[in-house]
Amino acid sequence: MEGRVIAAHGRQYVVQLEDGSRLPCFPRGKKSEIACGDRVILQRTSEDQGVIEAIAPRSSLLYRSNEIRQKLIAANVDQVIIVVATEPGFSDELITRALLAAESEEIEPLIVLNKCDLVEKLPAAREQLAMYAQQGYRILELSARAHAEDLRPALSGHTSVLVGQSGMGKSTLVNALIPEAGAATREISTALDSGKHTTTHATLYTLDDSSFLIDSPGLQEFGLGHLDRQEIEHAFREFRPFLGDCRFRDCRHDREPGCALTAAVAEGKIDARRFALYHRIVGTARSG
Ligand SMILES: Nc1nc2c(ncn2[C@@H]2O[C@H](COP(=O)(O)OP(=O)(O)O)[C@@H](O)[C@H]2O)c(=O)[nH]1
Ligand SMILES: [Mg+2]
Ligand SMILES: [Zn+2]
């Protein structure tokens, strides 16, 4: 049998079968590297349980990682929607890391600024996001509470995953766009026995035949241990014209003479805040 993983929680998964029914499944073997959105081959082992035998080749895999392990976020997505809000405050480093993860998998990013109904907080949030707009990243302003529909056109024809810190309004968006989401979440939580009806696991929802949306648990950090320095450099879009122009081929763009990136920052061609984030992310931030 074939199916699609619509929820992932630890080593437990819910797979949607071709007839639309859902089956809780475990992976075959100890290691489970299956993500929400994966297309899988499975076998029914009982009326209400299956085992996942194999994963079909993926078009993309969004994940984060620390030194020890990978944390899969979603498979086969072609759009990452980074949700931030006018309040609570959001982290530039987290946005940047999510953008880098998307760039490295060639997944199109979209930044959503939610809670725009909180108008007194709007100017500061816009100012914080200006840096990303300047790099050409798409930014969509909306209010999940009042006008969640504003997001729908951007979802059409895509498999998208919502990522972001908790409290930004991801679940509010999902519940407004997908009326049956609440019931589905309860059903899946019961199947996964996660005990909570909040988003403790990633969940895939079907919008129409060609549009899917994955809600993911809130992120506190977004480790990029799987990317090396060159990959990170390259994922900062605006660095690309200058890469390879430093005097030293192994330039760390720190204090080396003849550094093309440092020169570009001095000339205002690269935003100093983006450059500082780069150093933070590659772990070469100056301490003083
Ligand atoms: N004012 C306002 N509050 C919102 C909006 N969207 C979500 N919230 C509130 O923000 C809080 C966190 O929302 P939630 O969807 O749980 O965030 P998540 O952790 O990203 O899934 C909840 O109290 C929501 O009611 C919005 O557009 N405007
Ligand atoms: Mg949530
Ligand atoms: Zn350099």
Side-chain angles (χ1 to χ4, degrees):
M1 288 198 297
E2 287 174 29
R4 188 163 198 196
V5 176
I6 61 157
H9 180 72
R11 278 176 48 77
Q12 280 186 294
Y13 303 91
V14 176
V15 176
Q16 187 156 304
L17 307 177
E18 274 157 348
D19 64 4
S21 66
R22 295 161 183 174
L23 189 66
C25 289
F26 286 95
R28 165 90 64 214
K30 275 211 192 86
K31 265 184 125 183
S32 70
E33 284 172 351
I34 303 164
C36 189
D38 262 324
R39 295 176 195 284
V40 294
I41 313 284
L42 67 149
Q43 230 168 62
R44 192 186 284 275
T45 49
S46 72
E47 188 54 42
D48 55 3
Q49 188 119 125
V51 59
I52 295 172
E53 304 278 356
I55 308 168
R58 295 160 170 150
S59 60
S60 71
L61 179 63
L62 184 71
Y63 64 102
R64 55 202 181 99
S65 57
N66 54 25
E67 297 74 24
I68 303 154
R69 59 187 214 96
Q70 296 180 357
K71 295 181 180 174
L72 308 187
I73 300 172
N76 300 316
V77 298
D78 60 7
Q79 182 165 250
V80 177
I81 302 178
I82 302 166
V83 183
V84 298
T86 50
E87 91 174 353
F90 54 88
S91 153
D92 274 322
E93 184 166 342
L94 198 83
I95 296 181
T96 301
R97 286 173 175 274
L99 288 172
L100 298 182
E103 293 268 0
S104 74
E105 283 285 310
E106 295 182 6
I107 304 170
E108 195 58 43
L110 168 68
I111 298 171
V112 164
L113 174 59
N114 185 29
K115 309 194 196 180
C116 289
D117 50 303
L118 303 174
V119 287
E120 70 282 8
K121 307 271 183 185
L122 195 50
R126 279 184 178 149
E127 199 182 307
Q128 196 181 344
L129 290 177
M131 177 165 74
Y132 306 96
Q134 213 163 20
Q135 311 310 334
Y137 291 111
R138 293 178 299 152
I139 298 174
L140 183 62
E141 296 184 354
L142 54 77
S143 165
R145 254 191 209 167
H147 301 285
E149 287 301 323
D150 292 353
L151 182 61
R152 204 182 293 274
L155 302 176
S156 179
H158 293 286
T159 300
S160 309
V161 58
L162 299 173
V163 300
Q165 292 159 260
S166 61
M168 296 295 155
K170 297 180 297 297
S171 297
T172 305
L173 268 172
V174 168
N175 289 324
L177 291 168
I178 305 158
E180 64 276 15
T185 302
R186 280 188 294 279
E187 182 198 321
I188 288 166
S189 296
T190 307
L192 294 178
D193 204 18
S194 67
K196 282 191 227 154
H197 291 167
T198 54
T199 320
T200 54
H201 48 79
T203 310
L204 180 141
Y205 301 99
T206 300
L207 294 161
D208 60 51
D209 286 350
S210 63
S211 315
F212 305 90
L213 182 61
I214 297 178
D215 187 16
S216 74
L219 296 168
Q220 294 307 324
E221 50 188 11
F222 204 120
L224 295 173
H226 55 288
L227 299 182
D228 65 25
R229 192 162 54 84
Q230 267 152 358
E231 287 169 317
I232 292 171
E233 275 172 12
H234 196 75
F236 277 86
R237 300 179 162 182
E238 74 277 26
F239 291 8
R240 288 175 200 167
F242 308 102
L243 296 174
D245 291 348
C246 300
R247 185 178 305 165
F248 301 111
R249 210 195 305 170
D250 61 349
C251 186
R252 296 185 155 262
H253 322 304
D254 193 8
R255 295 174 197 209
E256 293 88 344
C259 172
L261 290 184
T262 307
V265 174
E267 290 165 21
K269 291 175 182 161
I270 289 177
D271 190 313
R273 283 187 298 162
R274 290 268 290 178
F275 199 48
L277 283 168
Y278 162 77
H279 283 296
R280 278 242 291 283
I281 291 167
V282 294
T284 55
R286 292 178 197 177
S287 47

